[in-house]
Amino acid sequence: MISENEILSTINMTRAEHLDVRTVTLGVSLFDCASTDYDTFAYRLRAKISKYAKRLVETCNMVGDRYGIPVVNKRISVSPMATVCAGFTRDQMVEACRVLDDCAKDVGVDFIGGFGALVEKGMTPGERNLIDALPEALATTDRICSSINVGSTKAGINMDAVKLMGERILDVAAATADRDAIGCAKLVVFCNIPQDDVVINVGVSGPGVVKKALDRAFEAKGDYLTITDAAEVIKHTAYKVTRVGEIIGNEVAQRLNLPFGVADLSLAPTPAVGDSVGEIFQTMGLSSIGAPGTTAILAMLNDAVKKGGVFASSHVGGLSGAFIPVSEDSAIEAAARSGALTMEKLEAMTSVCSVGLDMIAIPGDTSAATISGMIADEMAIGMINSKTTAVRIIPVPGKGVGEKAV
């Protein structure tokens, strides 16, 4: 039986502590759309996206309104386009990307992912064509997200692909230089990338909820609150947040007559005050994220979030855990600006967090070799530790250290 206090607590999470359903994602397989004829492929693609996703936004809004919990982003994830469009030229890959972007706009979703390739075992001509198409494709579309998987625990790391991606990231930055390299914010290099099916997945986020719960615990116990007590507070909070996500996800799936996939419980921050992962470290007693003890607290945070989520649902998956995107978290950004958080410390933290080097702006004159080296280091962490790691870095043309990008 749910108590009145628990109901009021959940209401307060949404009103004052930035609890939201960060994303509902519809996974769509495009393998039955494949064709050697581009026009046939484009027709099948439009038809399938429309069939499964035309009611997605409307349904998410209805369910969000019913429970009073906003669904911030509605997304689609499709099969890797380099596999589906294996026989396409570079120019046809660009056109396929634009069709995908048009489909996203037609059904009203915020983003559509899947313009990517799985090249950890090697690279086919079609996969090379897609990677070569990235600069133009990301510069001429609005809602496309691209991911290139260059490594896995089973296959190892494709170092040729790592070298190529260092070059292409710079090319994407140059192609979108008028917008401070925004194309690079939509391009991620992965190791052990998660796979999708034709299901509804839901991502729930609540760093502000966790911080407030810890604040209350410290007010109640003060110096008597141990690290174990803090972990228990995080577990109980993660349980509540995961239950919210599963309820929303299940109802969206039922209304669309699709299976429910997983609830992805992530402490993914936003620039809003009170919605920061970095502030959690200060609550735990550190002067700033990046100070000695940061990696240990991040490991505890990630472990507690995962355990609380698993207790709440048998369908926890995705990238559940804590994210540390530098440009999307006010406290982490401040620590980076002050020098308290360095690139080396960030890399160490990625060995225990959910993803990797995420949303980091770097000087535009950084060489392709340096970027490839950063990618290789991060992929090695993922491969050896059997975890998903990723690199999303933004070399901003014309900007140097200390300068601000839009």
Side-chain angles (χ1 to χ4, degrees):
M1 187 71 178
I2 299 174
S3 70
E4 181 180 342
N5 284 339
E6 288 176 310
I7 295 172
L8 293 174
S9 172
T10 303
I11 291 172
N12 191 53
M13 286 179 184
T14 62
R15 290 182 176 176
E17 298 172 6
H18 302 279
L19 172 65
D20 58 46
V21 174
R22 189 59 50 89
T23 177
V24 168
T25 303
L26 169 64
V28 179
S29 172
L30 297 183
F31 289 112
D32 55 352
C33 299
S35 174
T36 55
D37 179 71
Y38 173 79
D39 291 334
T40 300
F41 163 77
Y43 172 80
R44 291 173 177 173
L45 172 62
R46 291 182 186 276
K48 186 153 193 183
I49 295 295
S50 177
K51 175 183 176 182
Y52 284 102
K54 64 183 178 182
R55 293 177 47 238
L56 177 63
V57 173
E58 172 193 356
T59 302
C60 288
N61 289 338
M62 289 173 60
V63 174
D65 290 344
R66 179 184 178 191
Y67 290 100
I69 298 174
V71 178
V72 178
N73 291 306
K74 297 85 175 176
R75 303 179 182 178
I76 299 172
S77 176
V78 301
S79 312
M81 292 286 278
T83 304
V84 177
C85 307
F88 285 8
T89 65
R90 175 204 169 279
D91 291 343
Q92 286 176 319
M93 288 291 187
V94 173
E95 289 303 314
C97 185
R98 289 172 179 160
V99 172
L100 204 59
D101 192 53
D102 289 341
C103 290
K105 293 174 181 176
D106 289 343
V107 298
V109 295
D110 299 287
F111 299 103
I112 186 164
F115 188 73
L118 308 176
V119 296
E120 65 273 16
K121 295 181 180 179
M123 195 180 304
T124 66
E127 289 164 340
R128 176 60 188 254
N129 287 339
L130 182 140
I131 292 173
D132 288 343
L134 285 171
E136 184 177 352
L138 294 178
T140 56
T141 56
D142 300 311
R143 306 188 187 189
I144 297 296
C145 293
S146 180
S147 54
I148 309 296
N149 194 76
V150 300
S152 70
T153 298
K154 289 184 178 180
I157 302 171
N158 182 343
M159 293 303 291
D160 290 332
V162 169
K163 177 179 182 294
L164 181 61
M165 287 310 300
E167 298 166 358
R168 288 297 164 272
I169 287 172
L170 283 180
D171 292 338
V172 172
T176 55
D178 59 326
R179 290 166 283 166
D180 279 343
I182 188 63
C184 294
K186 300 182 286 183
L187 173 59
V188 187
V189 183
F190 272 99
C191 179
N192 292 321
I193 190 171
Q195 303 295 315
D196 283 320
D197 262 322
V198 188
V199 293
I200 290 291
N201 296 319
V202 60
V204 193
S205 183
V209 176
V210 170
K211 182 185 182 301
K212 290 294 185 181
L214 287 171
D215 286 343
R216 289 191 292 269
F218 274 106
E219 286 175 10
K221 288 192 173 184
D223 293 338
Y224 294 100
L225 188 79
T226 67
I227 194 77
T228 302
D229 294 332
E232 288 302 314
V233 170
I234 295 169
K235 287 179 195 175
H236 283 101
T237 306
Y239 171 85
K240 293 180 182 179
V241 172
T242 304
R243 289 296 297 151
V244 168
E246 187 173 47
I247 290 168
I248 298 276
N250 265 315
E251 182 149 343
V252 170
Q254 289 171 9
R255 292 190 182 207
L256 294 175
N257 197 29
L258 291 170
F260 175 65
V262 298
D264 183 343
L265 172 59
S266 301
L267 300 186
T270 70
V273 175
D275 198 26
S276 164
V277 169
E279 290 175 359
I280 295 174
F281 291 80
Q282 294 168 320
T283 297
M284 292 295 296
L286 298 186
S287 59
S288 168
I289 186 171
T294 294
T295 305
I297 288 179
L298 182 58
M300 181 275 289
L301 182 62
N302 225 42
D303 180 69
V305 166
K306 288 179 181 290
K307 287 177 177 175
V310 168
F311 184 64
S313 171
S314 58
H315 298 282
V316 170
L319 299 172
S320 294
F323 283 60
I324 47 173
V326 175
S327 299
E328 295 179 346
D329 186 304
S330 56
I332 297 178
E333 182 182 8
R337 283 183 175 276
S338 70
L341 181 62
T342 64
M343 186 69 76
E344 291 76 17
K345 185 62 175 179
L346 266 173
E347 188 174 291
M349 292 165 64
T350 64
S351 64
V352 298
C353 76
S354 283
V355 189
L357 300 176
D358 193 18
M359 285 298 289
I360 302 173
I362 60 176
D365 60 359
T366 304
S367 69
T370 298
I371 294 173
S372 295
M374 294 168 68
I375 295 171
D377 285 345
E378 199 58 39
M379 300 302 102
I381 290 173
M383 180 192 69
I384 293 298
N385 293 295
S386 301
K387 71 184 290 290
T388 298
T389 53
V391 172
R392 182 166 50 153
I393 50 178
I394 307 167
V396 185
K399 298 289 177 71
V401 175
E403 294 186 90
K404 190 172 183 179
V406 177

